[in-house]
């Protein structure tokens, strides 16, 4: 069973690999090919090294006995500032070879615990409407609370928000709490 823990700086290279591989498998046909092709693990490593160092940002990983780090989740204060949700889950990615084994759920619940430890007691996540993974958040007790159209890479993409107004209640709904 994978261990869920806070990330360390030394994890940044492996997190970058997971991030790039999962993006490519998830967003093919949605995100322009050139964006996926041009993704760089070096740039991602730099980004994740900074994210792990930042006080305000939570970065959690799932570490498998055989394959090492196989999933990453990040969160922190709501970037919108104005919303009713104090916290925001920025990313949650499980490597395609390790999906559907309960890792995403355990990782999300761990991220919720870390948000609450920082007094962020509610959370939102924005997901591309075309991404079937969004139904995962419904399965995790998230309620559909918003919709927006964002211009990304020259294309208009629809995003849907899922919210947990009370993370303590969200944790009770979740089946694995770590
Ligand atoms: C979405 C994601 C994080 C889920 O993680 P996971 O480890 O595959 O999911 P889990 O095995 O923990 O699933 C937990 C529950 O959610 C359900 N679930 C998972 N993915 C689902 C989906 N796409 N639609 C509906 N339910 C889903 C599972 O069936 C399971 O419920 P059950 O225990 O009743 O069977 C993972 O599949 C992923 O990284 N996908 C690609 C990247 C992505 O789109 N990330 C989200 C954008 S930020």
């Amino acid at each position: 069973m994978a261990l869920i823990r806070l990330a360390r700086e030394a994890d940044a290279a492996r997190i970058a690999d997971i991030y790039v591989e999962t993006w490519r498998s998830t967003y093919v046909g949605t995100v322009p090919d050139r964006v996926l092709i041009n993704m760089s693990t070096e740039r991602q490593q730099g980004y994740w090294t900074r994210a792990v160092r930042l006080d305000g940002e939570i970065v959690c990983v799932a570490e498998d006995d055989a394959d090492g780090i196989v999933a990453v989740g990040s969160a922190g204060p709501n970037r919108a500032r104005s919303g009713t949700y104090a916290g925001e889950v920025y990313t949650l990615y499980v490597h395609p070879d390790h999906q559907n084994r309960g890792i995403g759920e355990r990782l999300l619940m761990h991220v919720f615990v870390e948000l609450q430890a920082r007094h962020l007691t509610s959370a939102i996540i924005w997901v591309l409407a075309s991404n079937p993974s969004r139904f995962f958040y419904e399965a995790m007790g998230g309620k559909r609370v918003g919709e927006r159209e964002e211009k990304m890479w020259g294309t208009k993409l629809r995003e849907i928000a899922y919210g947990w107004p009370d993370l303590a209640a969200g944790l009770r709904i979740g089946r694995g709490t770590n």
Side-chain angles (χ1 to χ4, degrees):
M1 178 129 115
L3 167 80
I4 314 284
R5 61 166 173 82
L6 281 170
R8 303 185 273 267
E9 246 179 86
D11 300 324
R14 179 65 185 146
I15 294 173
D17 288 342
I18 303 281
Y19 189 83
V20 171
E21 279 184 55
T22 314
W23 257 67
R24 286 183 175 149
S25 85
T26 306
Y27 297 123
V28 63
T30 306
V31 171
D33 285 353
R34 65 182 157 76
V35 174
L36 297 177
I37 291 163
N38 290 335
M39 283 183 88
S40 134
T41 46
E42 287 74 22
R43 271 200 309 273
Q44 283 298 325
Q45 186 176 342
Y47 169 83
W48 287 102
T49 304
R50 285 189 296 277
V52 171
R53 272 190 204 142
L54 272 179
D55 254 358
E57 190 151 339
I58 297 160
V59 184
C60 294
V61 292
E63 193 171 27
D64 177 78
D65 283 347
D67 295 337
I69 291 169
V70 295
V72 60
S74 67
N78 189 345
R79 290 171 291 193
R81 306 267 174 227
S82 56
T84 25
Y85 295 87
E88 179 178 355
V89 178
Y90 304 144
T91 53
L92 191 74
Y93 291 104
V94 179
H95 188 278
D97 293 347
H98 292 264
Q99 289 173 8
N100 300 311
R101 297 184 192 173
I103 292 176
E105 175 171 2
R106 291 178 55 225
L107 192 56
L108 183 66
M109 293 308 140
H110 199 92
V111 165
F112 282 173
V113 169
E114 292 293 340
L115 281 169
Q116 289 180 92
R118 289 160 177 78
H119 308 290
L120 300 168
T121 56
S122 56
I124 193 166
I125 184 163
W126 288 95
V127 195
L128 285 180
S130 60
N131 184 354
S133 293
R134 68 189 171 82
F135 298 110
F136 163 78
Y137 297 106
E138 285 184 14
M140 297 298 104
K143 296 278 173 283
R144 200 172 156 152
V145 292
E147 215 174 302
R148 69 184 181 194
E149 217 165 53
E150 287 281 283
K151 201 163 181 196
M152 292 184 240
W153 313 289
T155 319
K156 269 191 187 161
L157 294 171
R158 205 159 63 88
E159 290 188 306
I160 292 177
Y162 290 92
W164 291 263
D166 176 6
L167 285 181
L171 282 176
R172 282 193 294 274
I173 291 164
R175 290 152 287 184
T177 51
N178 267 293

